[in-house]
């Protein structure tokens, strides 16, 4: 869709009081073709069914209008676009939950918003309609707010909002109390006051809308599927009786490599823990945009279903498990990080993070876990956390024990994951069942050592800190990895590890090292030309992400630059590649800042196949060319462009008010075409 403005990002601010009138809103809507945009977004939402429409739309709109919200910038705060986005966030928040959560977070929190209440209310009616249609959410239809009368004072509006907040809070409390009373002992622990605990379960399990014929087939398959003991109210495992009649939209490597013959041969097979071929395929069938399309429910899957997993691994990583072996090397002392590099990193890098997945043999992986296994994993991990050596010591917080505020704080800092939505990879694969039971976060006081429990993997280990001391962070990561291994072994358990595939995990895109070493780095010059940044990254096997995780925008020219590969290289090699690549980025940035052309860019061809055996999908030997016209190459570029000329500053995330939702879009989503970003249809 063409931009309604020739120059996005240059809309006229409304400053005058009278400008918040219905007429002003209408003319703004007309001038900027807001209705048309909303219509397009409606179909976009219906097609893509993002797990978090609020965030999805917010990014789309911000991208579309070339708008970078900024709480600190007064002028910006008063612009129509800000109002529009804020109001939009609020509106979607309400229609999603029928509750006050997002209003409090996105709007009431910020006193300045009150200035725009009138404007918001006007536009809310329209947007609300769109979102209600798009999400089919009945709550939206009961929005209590009435259109603003032009004579209403700001105080009246505020009072009215407060009343609504109070009433809704009271209702929420009451309903929670009731739930507590009727809840049978161990069951249905799916609701609690926190945002992370209340989503969807009451809605039951919903199938997506992909294509009418395919949807009918899917509904029939669901209806005919025998119940699975691990089914929950909000999730059903579907048993496919035949090879799914995939649509054009299905882009995954699973789809590509799953033949009728293979399907027929494996469809009746289950692992000892009961995970079937259908279970592994379910996310890829329900979520056509996924690039991998297969999840593992336990360790045995890697043998039982290797005929589908190996081609996927080969396609995604350019690594052939039949012919190659993976090596692990967690000796941080081998890293070469010169004084000069250290100096440059100190100057440019804001923070450093290294993470990987660790799973324990004998227990199912989250997509296939039973309650017993999930809780047993939590117990083993809790004991392991308790046994960590002194420098790594911290506290484990079960998700259910955190207050909403604590949870939000952790998410705002990029420390915590969110509940996977039903239409995200993890939700569609069954890894969100029984939320939040068995999930939690361990961290030390300084939050430089963290472990996530029972999210995409049984355990994600993370070392992070401010600044650019990559060697220090990697050393701590290695210590943590070793300590978790030792602690698990001390309990008679072993980590899931395979000679060919390295560390094993839920998603075949995260095998081998499963390691992502990233720096948050501010690159104002390169930020002016993200395509160039992307190209340079590709040459050095790096992956650029935005400043708040995968698929986010690089706000304030801040980029998350990490190694792209996961398997075929050791941990030391991957971190070294990151250090060396980022060193090059910095030197190009400096050349550009000095007025040069940044010609120091490497000479390796941008389309060149990755050297060696690694590579996470782009420019792969073998697979990539054959994927042309069939599926977009697996996502490498997982940033969302921000229009030039936008101001830097506070990150206003989907939730508004500067919240940052860690893991909202997980790498696990692994979109096949993330590179295209948030294109409007
Ligand atoms: P991963 O898949 O490795 O967990 P995501 O892209 O999902 O990474 O990001 C998870 C969270 O970690 C996000 O909030 C992101 O901003 C944060 N993050 C990633 N790298 C860094 C870093 N180097 N410093 C600080 N925060 C980071
Ligand atoms: Mg992630």
């Amino acid at each position: 869709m063409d931009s309604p403005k020739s120059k996005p990002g240059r809309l006229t601010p409304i400053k005058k009081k009278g400008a918040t009138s219905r007429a002003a809103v209408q003319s703004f809507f007309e001038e900027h073709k807001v209705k048309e945009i909303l219509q397009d977004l409606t179909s976009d939402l219906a097609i893509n069914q993002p797990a978090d429409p609020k965030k999805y739309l917010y990014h789309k709109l911000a991208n579309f209008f070339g708008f970078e919200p900024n709480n600190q910038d007064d002028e910006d705060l008063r612009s129509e676009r800000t109002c529009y986005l804020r109001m939009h966030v609020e509106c979607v928040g309400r229609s999603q939950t029928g509750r006050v959560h997002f209003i409090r977070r996105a709007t009431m929190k910020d006193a300045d918003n009150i200035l725009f209440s009138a404007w918001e209310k006007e536009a809310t009616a329209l947007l609300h309609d769109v979102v209600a249609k798009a999400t089919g959410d009945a709550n939206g239809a009961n929005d209590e707010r009435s259109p603003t009368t032009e004579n209403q004072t700001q105080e009246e509006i505020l009072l009215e909002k407060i009343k609504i907040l109070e009433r809704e809070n009271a209702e929420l409390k009451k309903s929670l109390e009731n739930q507590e009373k009727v809840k049978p002992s161990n069951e249905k622990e799916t609701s609690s006051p926190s945002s992370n605990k209340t989503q969807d379960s009451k809605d039951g399990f919903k199938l997506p809308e992909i294509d009418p014929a395919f949807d009918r087939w899917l509904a029939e398959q669901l209806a005919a599927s025998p119940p699975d003991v691990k089914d929950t109210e909000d999730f059903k495992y579907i048993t496919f009786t035949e090879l799914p009649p995939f649509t054009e939209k299905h882009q995954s490597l699973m789809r590509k490599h799953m033949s009728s013959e293979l399907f027929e041969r494996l469809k009746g097979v289950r692992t000892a823990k009961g995970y079937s071929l259908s279970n592994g395929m379910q996310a890829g069938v329900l979520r056509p945009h996924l690039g991998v399309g297969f999840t593992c429910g336990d360790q045995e899957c890697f043998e039982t279903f290797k005929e589908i997993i190996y081609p996927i691994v080969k396609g995604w990583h350019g690594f052939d498990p039949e012919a190659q072996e993976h090596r692990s090397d967690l000796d941080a002392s081998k890293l070469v990080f010169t004084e000069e590099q250290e100096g440059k990193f100190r100057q440019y890098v804001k923070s450093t993070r290294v993470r990987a997945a660790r799973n324990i043999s004998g227990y199912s992986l989250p997509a296939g876990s039973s309650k017993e296994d999930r809780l047993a994993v939590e117990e083993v991990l809790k004991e392991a956390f308790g046994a960590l050596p002194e420098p790594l010591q911290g506290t484990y917080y079960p998700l259910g024990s955190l207050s909403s505020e604590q949870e939000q704080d952790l998410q705002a800092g990029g420390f915590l994951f969110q509940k996977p939505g039903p239409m995200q990879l993890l939700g569609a694969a069954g890894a969100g069942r029984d939320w939040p039971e068995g999930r939690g976060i361990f961290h030390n006081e300084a939050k430089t050592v963290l472990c996530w429990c029972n999210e995409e993997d049984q355990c994600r280990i993370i070392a992070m800190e401010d600044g650019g001391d990559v060697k220090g962070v990697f050393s701590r990561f290695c210590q943590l990895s070793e300590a978790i291994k030792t602690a698990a072994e001390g309990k008679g358990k072993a980590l899931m590890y395979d000679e060919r595939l390295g560390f094993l995990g839920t998603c075949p895109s995260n095998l081998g090292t499963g390691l992502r070493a990233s720096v948050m780095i501010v690159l104002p010059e390169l930020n002016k030309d993200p395509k160039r940044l992307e190209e340079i990254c590709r040459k050095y096997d790096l992956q650029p992400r935005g400043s708040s995780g995968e698929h986010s925008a690089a706000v304030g020219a801040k980029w998350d630059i990490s190694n792209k590969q996961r398997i075929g290289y050791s941990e030391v090699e991957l971190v070294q590649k990151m250090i060396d690549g980022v060193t090059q980025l910095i030197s190009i940035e400096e050349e550009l800042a000095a007025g040069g052309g940044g010609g120091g860019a490497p000479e390796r061809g941008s389309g060149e196949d990755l050297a060696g055996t690694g590579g996470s999908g782009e420019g792969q030997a073998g697979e990539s060319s054959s994927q042309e016209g069939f599926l977009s190459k697996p996502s490498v570029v997982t940033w969302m462009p921000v229009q030039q000329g936008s101001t830097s500053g506070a990150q206003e995330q989907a939730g508004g008010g500067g919240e940052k939702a860690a893991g909202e879009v997980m790498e696990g989503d692994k979109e096949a075409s993330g590179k295209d970003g948030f294109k409007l249809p």
Side-chain angles (χ1 to χ4, degrees), residues 101-115:
H101 182 70
F102 294 125
I103 297 179
R104 202 193 308 125
R105 253 175 46 177
T107 309
M108 292 305 288
K109 181 174 166 184
D110 188 341
D112 283 281
N113 269 333
I114 296 159
L115 294 173

Side-chain angles (χ1 to χ4, degrees), residues 222-236:
L222 173 62
S225 293
D228 188 303
V229 285
K230 296 182 310 220
D231 283 348
T232 56
E233 248 176 73
D234 58 351
F235 183 85
K236 307 283 173 225

Side-chain angles (χ1 to χ4, degrees), residues 183-189 371 375 434 437:
K183 193 164 57 183
S185 52
N186 273 331
E187 288 187 35
K188 302 187 179 89
E189 299 240 70
K371 276 185 171 226
L375 292 173
D434 306 310
E437 199 175 79

